């Protein structure tokens, strides 16, 4: 089940960013559509689907898509 949820999260992030796919190593600052609106949409999705809230401080430490997914995994006890 967790693998499916993670796959769905990567797909949703890619959809919001208007990309075919995202991978762990993608640097968020290099993603063309990584802006305040897309970040808000991603965080709202994570909050709704995973019941996870990511703080501003945590967001500031995110360098890659993998960093974001790891926070979700840690906060849901799936690391």
């Amino acid at each position: 089940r967790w693998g499916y949820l993670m796959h769905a999260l990567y797909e949703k992030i890619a959809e919001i960013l208007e990309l075919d796919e995202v991978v762990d190593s993608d640097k968020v600052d290099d993603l063309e559509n990584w802006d305040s609106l897309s970040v808000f949409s991603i965080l709202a999705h994570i909050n709704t689907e995973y019941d996870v809230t990511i703080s501003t401080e945590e967001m500031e430490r995110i360098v890659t898509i993998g960093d974001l997914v790891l926070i979700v995994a840690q906060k849901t006890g799936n690391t």
Side-chain angles (χ1 to χ4, degrees):
R1 172 155 165 76
W2 179 246
Y4 170 77
L5 290 175
M6 284 293 89
H7 179 72
L9 177 56
Y10 284 100
E11 284 188 340
K12 188 63 175 182
I13 292 170
E15 177 186 322
I16 290 169
L17 295 174
E18 300 176 2
L19 297 169
D20 291 332
E21 70 176 353
V22 293
V23 296
D24 285 339
S25 61
D26 286 340
K27 293 186 174 168
V28 295
D29 288 340
D30 292 343
L31 299 171
E32 183 178 334
N33 291 329
W34 185 267
D35 57 24
S36 58
L37 181 58
S38 65
V39 170
F40 177 80
S41 296
I42 291 166
L43 294 179
H45 173 76
I46 289 170
N47 184 262
T48 301
E49 293 297 316
Y50 302 91
D51 196 29
V52 167
T53 302
I54 298 175
S55 71
T56 303
E57 293 79 19
E58 289 167 321
M59 281 306 297
E60 290 171 353
R61 291 195 304 266
I62 291 173
V63 176
T64 65
I65 294 296
D67 295 337
L68 175 61
V69 172
L70 180 61
I71 290 171
V72 175
Q74 289 172 337
K75 290 190 171 206
T76 55
N78 289 288
T79 55

